[in-house]
Amino acid sequence: MTRRIELQVHSEEERERRDAAANRALLLETAERLFTEQGVEPVTMAEIAQVAGVGKGTLYRRFAHKGELCLALLDNQLLAFQDSQLDELRQLHEREVPYLEQLAHFLRAVVAFTEQHMPLLCEIAQYTPVPDGEDLERPHSWQYMTVHGLIRRAQNAGELAPDVDAPFLAEALLAPLVAHTYRFQRERLGFTPERVSEGLSRIVQDLAAAS
Amino acid sequence: MTRRIELQVHSEEERERRDAAANRALLLETAERLFTEQGVEPVTMAEIAQVAGVGKGTLYRRFAHKGELCLALLDNQLLAFQDSQLDELRQLHEREVPYLEQLAHFLRAVVAFTEQHMPLLCEIAQYTPVPDGEDLERPHSWQYMTVHGLIRRAQNAGELAPDVDAPFLAEALLAPLVAHTYRFQRERLGFTPERVSEGLSRIVQDLAAAS
DNA sequence: ATACCAAGTGGACTTCAGTCCGTTTTTCTG
DNA sequence: CAGAAAAACGGACTGAAGTCCACTTGGTAT
């Protein structure tokens, strides 16, 4: 046998060596602890490596930059969020709740998620070298697809005019929830999460009413 | 006479020394040239100082960081933009164009401005240390006040339901025009400026229709 | 004119992100 | 179990932002 055929769709990158896997876990634990103690932003990559007792090279071999590390830390919670949302949307769908109402519900959940993970999300956005980005926007990307999907279904169901630009509308509804923009609203404008949720719901409602 | 009373409302910070003013101008010219030649992002502060033939300390005394330098470079054009917009809005108002239409017009103008100055605006956003920000958001701040004002007038004129959260709506309409968010739409989603303008106008229209 | 001093200046220095590469460890193969 | 290839490791190094401070200079008061 020359090479095992890749069967799994996801994360089949021919497994890390044992020491590598151990270090990945160690680094994630260390980072999480330091973040809890000092907050995300002030902790440096060098500090994480040092406290974990490995060289910087090792740290950077696992995580190309601080953003990737933060994303890894968020990964489990992101998966959980996605699962719970898919589930809730399915339930709403079974109860034949209109798509635009599902959308409002989903946006509310995204607000909560953003609120909860603001520091990590800001850091992820910060350390994403412009042209790269691909997977760093993963949280946003999934949210975008979901919102876009709900909008299109709403259009198909006649809840929303079919000539509305669904991709743009999806982006516009999520734009206030981009980490830095959201933080600005929270910290400088003094908006509460509820206020943001309500505001977005209202926009969605009015879009429906206009159709 | 002990101290001249400050009469001017703006920029009365007791004037720079002649050499300082000369260096400010020199640095702005140099930065502008380098930005034109190489683009904004790859030019370093050290390079600007070096090419201008001054020490880094001098550069940083004038401009606390790259964001401030970029903002200074944008300042004239920002003033021109504000003037032209105030003028246009005044004209629209005289022709008794509805406020929400004025708003759509203004948002279109902001899209154009953002489009034109994207590199500088991104850099300004990048180098704004979190807690600071005050004047770095000046472009956004003025846009925000204008949009907010138009929304409230629309409400007073009965064009828009009075229970809409005007401050939030202003922020939500401008959120897609925050530099990084806008760039994402342009470069990764492939939206054209027209598409963004149209999309925002449509939202504004539908808000009106729903009231 | 002189002398004083706040403002301005230059560049070495610190800090942090991220890279590089010679050395060590794991794992695979016979 | 030995030997070799691949992967991982560590920490010195680079590059850029931003700070610091001893020194100089332009405005002002005498």
Side-chain angles (χ1 to χ4, degrees), chain A residues 81 85 89 100-114 143 146-147 150-151 169-170 172-177 182 193 196-204:
Chain A
F81 174 71
Q85 283 311 303
L89 288 180
L100 287 182
E101 232 169 275
Q102 294 183 38
L103 176 56
H105 176 89
F106 180 71
L107 289 173
R108 209 174 295 274
V110 175
V111 170
F113 184 84
T114 306
Q143 291 165 8
T146 305
V147 170
L150 287 170
I151 290 172
L169 180 56
L173 288 171
L174 284 173
L177 306 184
Y182 182 76
V196 175
S197 295
E198 299 291 318
L200 286 174
S201 297
R202 176 62 190 257
I203 293 177
V204 171

Coordinates of all heavy atoms in Angstrom, one line a residue, chain A residues 81 85 89 100-114 143 146-147 150-151 169-170 172-177 182 193 196-204:
Chain A
F81 N -22.4 26.3 18.6 CA -23.4 27.4 18.2 C -24.1 27.0 16.9 O -25.3 27.1 16.8 CB -22.6 28.7 18.1 CG -23.5 29.8 17.5 CD1 -24.4 30.4 18.3 CD2 -23.2 30.3 16.2 CE1 -25.2 31.4 17.8 CE2 -24.0 31.3 15.7 CZ -25.0 31.9 16.5
Q85 N -28.0 26.3 16.6 CA -28.8 27.1 15.7 C -29.5 26.3 14.6 O -30.7 26.5 14.3 CB -28.0 28.2 15.0 CG -27.7 29.3 16.0 CD -28.9 29.8 16.7 OE1 -29.9 30.2 16.0 NE2 -29.0 29.7 18.0
L89 N -33.5 26.3 14.2 CA -34.1 26.7 12.9 C -35.0 25.6 12.4 O -36.1 25.9 11.9 CB -33.0 27.1 11.9 CG -32.3 28.5 12.2 CD1 -31.3 28.7 11.1 CD2 -33.3 29.6 12.2
L100 N -38.8 35.1 7.7 CA -38.2 36.3 8.2 C -38.2 36.3 9.7 O -37.4 37.0 10.3 CB -39.0 37.5 7.7 CG -38.7 37.8 6.2 CD1 -39.5 39.0 5.7 CD2 -37.2 38.0 5.9
E101 N -39.1 35.6 10.3 CA -39.1 35.5 11.8 C -37.9 34.6 12.2 O -37.3 34.9 13.2 CB -40.4 34.9 12.3 CG -41.1 35.8 13.3 CD -42.5 35.3 13.6 OE1 -43.4 35.7 12.9 OE2 -42.7 34.4 14.5
Q102 N -37.7 33.6 11.4 CA -36.5 32.7 11.7 C -35.3 33.6 11.6 O -34.3 33.5 12.4 CB -36.5 31.6 10.7 CG -37.6 30.6 10.8 CD -37.4 29.4 9.9 OE1 -36.3 29.0 9.7 NE2 -38.5 28.9 9.3
L103 N -35.3 34.4 10.6 CA -34.1 35.3 10.4 C -33.9 36.2 11.6 O -32.7 36.3 12.1 CB -34.3 36.1 9.2 CG -33.2 37.2 8.9 CD1 -31.8 36.5 8.8 CD2 -33.5 37.9 7.6
A104 N -34.9 36.8 12.1 CA -34.8 37.7 13.3 C -34.3 36.9 14.5 O -33.4 37.3 15.2 CB -36.2 38.3 13.6
H105 N -34.8 35.7 14.6 CA -34.3 34.8 15.7 C -32.9 34.5 15.6 O -32.1 34.6 16.5 CB -35.1 33.5 15.7 CG -34.7 32.5 16.7 ND1 -35.2 32.5 17.9 CD2 -33.8 31.5 16.6 CE1 -34.6 31.5 18.6 NE2 -33.7 30.9 17.8
F106 N -32.5 34.2 14.4 CA -31.1 33.9 14.1 C -30.2 35.1 14.4 O -29.1 34.9 15.1 CB -30.9 33.4 12.7 CG -29.4 33.0 12.4 CD1 -28.9 31.9 12.9 CD2 -28.7 33.8 11.6 CE1 -27.6 31.5 12.7 CE2 -27.3 33.5 11.3 CZ -26.8 32.3 11.8
L107 N -30.6 36.2 14.0 CA -29.8 37.4 14.2 C -29.6 37.7 15.7 O -28.5 38.1 16.1 CB -30.4 38.6 13.5 CG -30.3 38.6 12.0 CD1 -31.0 39.7 11.3 CD2 -28.8 38.6 11.5
R108 N -30.7 37.4 16.4 CA -30.6 37.6 17.8 C -29.5 36.7 18.4 O -28.7 37.1 19.3 CB -31.9 37.3 18.5 CG -32.3 38.0 19.7 CD -33.7 37.7 20.2 NE -34.7 38.2 19.2 CZ -35.2 39.4 19.3 NH1 -34.8 40.3 20.3 NH2 -36.1 39.9 18.4
A109 N -29.5 35.5 17.9 CA -28.5 34.5 18.4 C -27.1 34.9 18.1 O -26.1 34.8 18.9 CB -28.8 33.1 17.9
V110 N -26.9 35.5 16.9 CA -25.6 35.9 16.5 C -25.1 37.1 17.3 O -24.0 37.2 17.7 CB -25.6 36.3 15.0 CG1 -24.2 36.9 14.6 CG2 -25.9 35.1 14.1
V111 N -26.1 38.0 17.7 CA -25.7 39.0 18.6 C -25.2 38.5 19.9 O -24.1 38.9 20.4 CB -26.9 40.0 18.9 CG1 -26.6 40.9 20.0 CG2 -27.3 40.7 17.6
A112 N -25.9 37.5 20.4 CA -25.5 36.9 21.7 C -24.1 36.3 21.6 O -23.2 36.4 22.4 CB -26.5 35.8 22.1
F113 N -23.9 35.6 20.5 CA -22.6 34.9 20.3 C -21.5 35.9 20.2 O -20.4 35.8 20.8 CB -22.6 34.1 19.0 CG -21.4 33.3 18.7 CD1 -21.2 32.0 19.4 CD2 -20.4 33.8 17.9 CE1 -20.0 31.3 19.1 CE2 -19.2 33.0 17.7 CZ -19.1 31.8 18.3
T114 N -21.7 37.0 19.4 CA -20.7 38.0 19.2 C -20.4 38.7 20.6 O -19.3 38.9 20.9 CB -21.2 39.1 18.2 OG1 -21.6 38.4 17.0 CG2 -20.1 40.1 17.9
Q143 N -22.3 32.4 9.2 CA -23.4 33.3 9.5 C -24.0 33.9 8.2 O -25.2 33.9 8.0 CB -23.0 34.4 10.4 CG -22.6 33.9 11.8 CD -21.8 34.9 12.6 OE1 -21.7 36.1 12.2 NE2 -21.4 34.5 13.8
T146 N -26.0 31.4 6.2 CA -27.3 31.1 6.9 C -28.3 32.3 6.6 O -29.4 32.0 6.2 CB -27.1 30.9 8.4 OG1 -26.1 29.9 8.6 CG2 -28.4 30.5 9.0
V147 N -27.8 33.5 6.8 CA -28.7 34.6 6.6 C -29.1 34.7 5.2 O -30.3 34.9 4.9 CB -28.0 35.9 7.0 CG1 -28.8 37.1 6.6 CG2 -27.7 36.0 8.5
L150 N -31.8 32.1 4.5 CA -33.1 32.5 5.0 C -33.8 33.6 4.2 O -35.0 33.5 3.9 CB -33.0 32.9 6.5 CG -32.7 31.8 7.4 CD1 -32.4 32.4 8.8 CD2 -33.9 30.9 7.5
I151 N -33.0 34.5 3.7 CA -33.5 35.6 2.9 C -34.1 35.0 1.6 O -35.2 35.4 1.2 CB -32.5 36.7 2.6 CG1 -32.1 37.4 3.9 CG2 -32.9 37.6 1.5 CD1 -31.0 38.4 3.7
L169 N -28.2 42.2 1.1 CA -28.9 42.3 2.3 C -28.4 41.5 3.4 O -28.3 41.9 4.6 CB -30.4 42.0 2.0 CG -31.3 42.1 3.2 CD1 -31.3 43.5 3.8 CD2 -32.8 41.7 2.9
A170 N -27.9 40.3 3.1 CA -27.3 39.4 4.1 C -26.1 40.1 4.7 O -26.0 40.2 6.0 CB -26.9 38.1 3.5
A172 N -25.4 43.3 4.7 CA -25.8 44.5 5.4 C -26.4 44.2 6.8 O -26.1 45.0 7.7 CB -26.8 45.3 4.6
L173 N -27.1 43.1 6.9 CA -27.7 42.8 8.2 C -26.6 42.4 9.2 O -26.7 42.6 10.4 CB -28.8 41.7 8.1 CG -30.1 42.2 7.4 CD1 -31.0 41.0 7.2 CD2 -30.8 43.2 8.3
L174 N -25.6 41.7 8.6 CA -24.5 41.2 9.5 C -23.4 42.3 9.8 O -22.7 42.1 10.7 CB -23.9 40.0 8.9 CG -24.7 38.7 9.0 CD1 -24.1 37.6 8.2 CD2 -24.9 38.3 10.5
A175 N -23.4 43.3 8.9 CA -22.3 44.3 9.1 C -22.2 44.9 10.5 O -21.1 45.0 11.0 CB -22.4 45.4 8.0
P176 N -23.4 45.2 11.1 CA -23.3 45.7 12.5 C -22.8 44.7 13.5 O -22.4 45.1 14.6 CB -24.7 46.1 12.8 CG -25.4 46.2 11.5 CD -24.8 45.2 10.6
L177 N -22.7 43.5 13.1 CA -22.2 42.4 14.0 C -20.8 42.0 13.8 O -20.3 41.1 14.4 CB -23.2 41.2 13.9 CG -24.6 41.6 14.1 CD1 -25.5 40.3 14.2 CD2 -24.8 42.4 15.4
Y182 N -19.3 46.0 16.1 CA -20.2 45.7 17.3 C -19.6 46.3 18.6 O -20.3 46.9 19.3 CB -20.3 44.2 17.4 CG -21.3 43.8 18.6 CD1 -22.6 43.9 18.4 CD2 -20.7 43.3 19.8 CE1 -23.5 43.5 19.4 CE2 -21.6 43.0 20.8 CZ -22.9 43.1 20.6 OH -23.8 42.8 21.7
P193 N -26.9 44.9 23.9 CA -27.1 43.8 23.0 C -28.6 43.8 22.6 O -28.9 43.5 21.4 CB -26.7 42.6 23.7 CG -25.7 43.0 24.8 CD -26.2 44.4 25.2
V196 N -29.4 46.3 19.9 CA -28.9 45.9 18.6 C -29.9 44.8 18.0 O -30.3 44.9 16.9 CB -27.5 45.3 18.7 CG1 -27.0 44.8 17.3 CG2 -26.5 46.4 19.2
S197 N -30.2 43.8 18.8 CA -31.1 42.8 18.4 C -32.5 43.4 17.9 O -32.9 43.1 16.8 CB -31.4 41.8 19.5 OG -30.2 41.1 19.8
E198 N -33.0 44.2 18.8 CA -34.3 44.8 18.4 C -34.2 45.6 17.1 O -35.1 45.5 16.3 CB -34.7 45.8 19.6 CG -34.9 45.2 20.9 CD -36.1 44.2 21.0 OE1 -37.1 44.6 20.4 OE2 -36.0 43.1 21.5
G199 N -33.2 46.4 17.0 CA -33.0 47.2 15.9 C -32.9 46.4 14.6 O -33.6 46.7 13.6
L200 N -32.2 45.3 14.6 CA -32.1 44.5 13.5 C -33.4 43.8 13.1 O -33.9 43.7 12.0 CB -31.0 43.4 13.6 CG -29.6 43.9 13.6 CD1 -28.6 42.8 13.9 CD2 -29.3 44.4 12.2
S201 N -34.1 43.3 14.2 CA -35.4 42.7 14.0 C -36.4 43.7 13.3 O -37.1 43.3 12.4 CB -36.0 42.3 15.3 OG -35.2 41.3 15.9
R202 N -36.3 44.9 13.8 CA -37.2 45.9 13.2 C -36.9 46.1 11.7 O -37.9 46.2 10.9 CB -37.0 47.2 14.0 CG -37.8 48.4 13.4 CD -39.3 48.1 13.6 NE -40.1 49.0 12.9 CZ -40.7 50.0 13.5 NH1 -40.7 50.1 14.8 NH2 -41.4 50.9 12.8
I203 N -35.7 46.1 11.3 CA -35.4 46.3 9.9 C -35.9 45.1 9.1 O -36.6 45.3 8.1 CB -33.8 46.4 9.7 CG1 -33.3 47.7 10.3 CG2 -33.5 46.3 8.2 CD1 -31.8 47.8 10.2
V204 N -35.8 43.9 9.7 CA -36.3 42.8 9.0 C -37.8 42.8 8.8 O -38.4 42.6 7.8 CB -35.9 41.5 9.7 CG1 -36.6 40.3 9.1 CG2 -34.4 41.3 9.7

